[in-house]
Amino acid sequence: MLDKFITPVIKPLLTPVVMLMHKRGITADQLTVVGFLVGLLAVPLLAFEMWYGALVAITLNRILDGLDGALARYANQSSSAGGFLDITLDFLFYAAIPLGFILANPEQNAIAGSLLLATFIGTGSSFLAFAIAAEKFKLEKPQFKYKSFYYLNGLTEGTETIALFIAFCIWPQHFAVMASIFAIACGITIFTRIHGGYHTLKQQEAGANKAAENVPSSASSEVIND
C-alpha cells in the first residue's frame, strides 16, 4: 500500500551509491545475491535471540535490495533474469524471518508464525500469478514502470512487511500478537488481489476474444466483395 509513496522518496537517495558501485564494476545480480545472504544471517541471530543483530541484517538486506534494482537501471542491465532472481530471493527472505522467531520460541511463536507464513504464501502466489497473466496481456505498469514485471497492489506490500520485521526485532515479546494482526491484513490483501485480478483478467480475455471474433468476419467480407 505504501510502496508507491516510499519508492519515489528513496530512489534519489540511492543514486550516488549506485554511481560508485557501477564505477567499481559491481553488477545488480551480485548485489541481489549478497543482499540475500546477508538477510539470511538474521535467521540464526533471531534463533539465538540476538534481536538487534538480526535487525542490522534485515536493514542491510533491504538497503541492498533497493540498490540492486537502481543499479540495474542505471547501468542498463535490467533483465527478466535479474527480476526473476530478485523477486525469488525476496520471497525466500520474507519467509525466513518468521521462521527465525519460531525457532527462538516455538512454544509462544509457532502458531502465529505459521499463520503468517501461510498468508505470505497467499500474497506471494497471488502477486506472481497475476504478473504472469499481466505479461500475457501486456498490461501497463503505471505505478512501477521501472519494474521487470507487473506489481499488483495490496494492503500489505514490501514497505509494510519491512516495518513489521523491524517491530518484531524491537518488541520480540509481542511477536505473536503482531504476526497474527499482520496475517489478517495479508488475508485482506489475498482476497482483494484474487477478486480484482480475476475480474481484470476476465475483462482482458473478453476483449481479446471479441477482437479475435471480428478478424474472420472482416476477412469473409473481403472475400465476398471480391
Side-chain angles (χ1 to χ4, degrees), residues 1 4 29 39 47 76 79 99 102 108 124 132 139 164 176 179 201 207:
M1 183 174 64
K4 61 185 178 181
D29 290 349
N76 293 319
S79 66
L99 175 62
I102 292 173
Q108 179 178 321
I132 295 171
L139 297 184
L164 176 74
L201 295 176

Side-chain angles (χ1 to χ4, degrees), residues 98-99 101-102 105-120 164 168 174-184:
L99 175 62
F101 282 94
I102 292 173
N105 192 336
E107 183 177 347
Q108 179 178 321
N109 296 339
I111 294 178
S114 299
L115 179 62
L116 183 60
L117 285 172
T119 55
F120 274 0
L164 176 74
F168 282 166
H174 299 304
F175 170 83
V177 173
M178 290 188 288
S180 299
I181 294 173
F182 199 78
I184 294 173

